[in-house]
Amino acid sequence: MISRRDIIRGGGAMAALAWALPALGKPADAAAILQDADALYKESLVLDMLCDEYRDASGIEQIKQTGLTTMSTTLGVRRPERPRGSYMANGFRLDSAVEDCVAWNNFIKENGTILAPARSAADIRSAKAAGKTAVMLNFQNCPIEGELDNIDMFHGLGIRTMQVTYNERNMLGDGSTERTNAGLSDFGIAAVHRMNEVGILVDSSHSGHQTTMDAIMFSKRTPIISHANCYALNEHPRNKTDDHIRALAKKGGVMGLTTVNTMVKRDFPVTMEDWLDHVDHITKLVGVDHVGFGTDTLVRGWPTDPKQKQEFLDAYGEPYFKSSYRFRYPFGTEGMNDAHKWRYATAGLIKRGYKPADIQKVLGGNWMRVIADVVG
C-alpha cells in the first residue's frame, strides 16, 4: 500500500515564489517587501503547530532551509489494511503511537545540532537562541485505548498536543466527518481534564462541530485548534464556524490555519491571497491574538507532479477519507508549498498592512503565549 512518505513530494522554491507574487503586488515591489519580511522573520519566533518532514537526511536539509523556530509533527498514524467502513478510525493505535514517540525522540537526539525537543516554552526559546528548530510532538487523535493514565505516559514521552478526535467517532466524541454530531462523551470530558492536569494542549481540529465546542468549553486550560480554516469563507466539514472561533478566543485560544487547499477555498485556483483572507477574517472577528500557522504540510510541501495524481488520490480518498473531504490534486496552496512558505506569508501580511508586532504574533507569538500557559 502506498504510504504518506512515498507520495508527498513538493514543488521547487522558484515555482512557489512565482505563485506567491500575486499576493505581494507588482514584481518591482516584491523584492523590497521580501527583504523586509526576511528581516522580520529572522528576529521572530516562528511556530507551525502542524507540519511534518521525513526522518532522514533529506528532511533535515528541508528543515534547515525554513528558519522555523518550532514545528509540531504528527505521530502514530497508520493506514488500516481493511477499513471496511471505519475509514481512519483504526489508524491511531497505542503501540504505533509509542513506537513513533521513541523514533522521533531518537531522531531529535541524533540530529542535535539542527533539532531540539520542544517540551516547554523555555525549550523553544533556547532553540531559537541556538539557531535550532524545536520539535513538538502531537497526536491527531487520542490513542489512549480507554485508559486515562496513558495520557500521563504520553506526556512523559514528549507529547504536548493531542486532538480529542480525528474524523471519525472515538471514545471521546464525534469527528468532523462522522454522521452524527453528539459532542464529547463523559469519558471525553475526563480525558480533556486529564490533559489539562498534565500540560497537554487540547486540540479539536478534526472534531465535529459540537465536539469542537465542547472541547473548548470543558477545557479548564487554554484550548487550541491547531489546523483548520474558517467555515464562513469555505463550508468544509473540517473548518470552524464563527461561533467556534469566538468561543476559542474567549478562552484565550489560537487557531492555526492550514494550507490544504480544499479547506482554504472550494474551487481552484487557490493562492496565498485566499489563505490570507482567512487571517483577515479571524483578525476582524476576534483580533490578531488568536490566529497562527498550522499548515498541515510537509516542510517541502505537497506533490505537484501530474504523474503522481492518481496514487495520491487513491491514498487520500475512499476507503480512508469520505467524499465530503473533497480532496483533489494538487493539494497545496499556490505560493505556500515549499520550505519558504512562512517567509512568503510574512511578506503577504506586510503587503496587507499588518504591523510588525502583529505579524510576529501570527508567526509564533500567539502560540508561545498559549504554550507558556498550558505546557509550561
Side-chain angles (χ1 to χ4, degrees):
M1 183 193 308
I2 191 167
S3 69
R4 181 182 177 97
R5 177 184 175 86
D6 293 332
I7 66 173
I8 300 178
R9 295 290 188 273
M14 293 304 295
L17 175 57
W19 286 340
L21 285 175
L24 306 181
K26 298 177 181 179
D29 300 328
I33 293 174
L34 286 166
Q35 186 174 7
D36 290 343
D38 196 52
L40 182 62
Y41 188 90
K42 287 178 180 177
E43 70 181 46
S44 301
L45 294 166
V46 185
L47 282 70
D48 191 327
M49 289 299 282
L50 206 295
C51 68
D52 292 312
E53 251 308 329
Y54 304 151
R55 291 195 307 267
D56 61 18
S58 72
I60 289 294
E61 286 304 311
Q62 289 291 325
I63 292 169
K64 285 167 64 175
Q65 293 182 42
T66 67
L68 271 177
T69 309
T70 301
M71 57 181 290
S72 182
T73 188
T74 296
L75 280 61
V77 186
R78 305 288 189 274
R79 292 187 188 278
E81 291 186 9
R82 292 179 293 277
R84 295 179 178 174
S86 66
Y87 298 92
M88 288 291 288
N90 298 315
F92 302 85
R93 299 177 60 86
L94 186 144
D95 57 352
S96 301
V98 171
E99 178 184 349
D100 282 4
C101 284
V102 173
W104 259 104
N105 282 321
N106 286 338
F107 185 66
I108 293 166
K109 186 180 298 184
E110 291 163 2
N111 293 277
T113 59
I114 306 298
L115 305 178
R119 297 192 175 194
S120 68
D123 285 347
I124 292 170
R125 294 188 184 280
S126 294
K128 176 69 175 180
K132 299 179 183 181
T133 295
V135 181
M136 181 172 285
L137 308 182
N138 77 65
F139 291 145
Q140 290 202 52
N141 206 326
C142 192
I144 61 174
E145 298 189 358
E147 296 291 338
L148 291 179
D149 287 348
N150 286 331
I151 293 174
D152 301 61
M153 175 192 69
F154 282 125
H155 182 269
L157 288 170
I159 294 295
R160 293 297 182 268
T161 303
M162 190 180 296
Q163 288 185 186
V164 290
T165 72
Y166 196 59
N167 299 325
E168 290 76 43
R169 177 186 295 163
N170 62 16
M171 288 185 66
L172 281 69
D174 282 359
S176 61
T177 60
E178 187 64 46
R179 183 185 64 83
T180 53
N181 187 34
L184 283 179
S185 65
D186 290 344
F187 180 75
I189 295 170
V192 165
H193 289 166
R194 182 64 71 87
M195 292 180 214
N196 292 158
E197 290 169 9
V198 302
I200 291 177
L201 291 159
V202 174
D203 185 1
S204 53
S205 296
H206 276 261
S207 299
H209 286 307
Q210 188 58 49
T211 305
T212 298
M213 189 61 78
D214 286 352
I216 293 168
M217 300 308 294
F218 282 103
S219 181
K220 297 176 182 179
R221 307 289 294 274
T222 309
I224 70 166
I225 296 169
S226 64
H227 62 297
N229 288 326
C230 304
Y231 194 85
L233 300 186
N234 181 23
E235 294 183 0
H236 188 281
R238 274 273 286 103
N239 285 344
K240 305 304 178 183
T241 67
D242 285 356
D243 285 344
H244 292 137
I245 298 167
R246 290 190 189 97
L248 183 75
K250 189 173 182 180
K251 298 285 286 281
V254 177
M255 184 161 122
L257 295 176
T258 175
T259 60
V260 175
N261 66 41
T262 189
M263 283 172 256
V264 177
K265 183 182 171 188
R266 187 176 183 93
D267 301 311
F268 283 129
V270 185
T271 70
M272 190 168 74
E273 287 272 55
D274 301 308
W275 186 87
L276 290 167
D277 288 344
H278 288 263
V279 178
D280 286 351
H281 182 80
I282 293 176
T283 300
K284 291 173 184 176
L285 186 69
V286 295
V288 75
D289 293 333
H290 305 287
V291 61
F293 288 111
T295 59
D296 197 13
T297 66
L298 280 191
V299 165
R300 69 187 70 196
W302 293 98
T304 57
D305 187 344
K307 295 178 181 178
Q308 295 180 273
K309 179 177 181 178
Q310 192 55 53
E311 59 183 352
F312 183 88
L313 293 176
D314 288 345
Y316 284 89
E318 296 279 356
Y320 309 108
F321 297 90
K322 288 185 177 180
S323 59
S324 58
Y325 249 87
R326 304 199 301 266
F327 278 148
R328 62 211 178 179
Y329 190 88
F331 207 45
T333 291
E334 294 180 1
M336 300 186 73
N337 199 47
D338 74 347
H340 307 282
K341 62 179 76 69
W342 303 277
R343 283 187 169 90
Y344 298 152
T346 303
L349 291 166
I350 291 173
K351 178 66 168 57
R352 291 209 172 189
Y354 284 81
K355 298 176 181 178
D358 288 340
I359 294 173
Q360 289 186 306
K361 290 180 179 181
V362 177
L363 290 178
N366 291 334
W367 285 128
M368 284 297 294
R369 169 177 55 80
V370 177
I371 290 166
D373 175 47
V374 177
V375 176

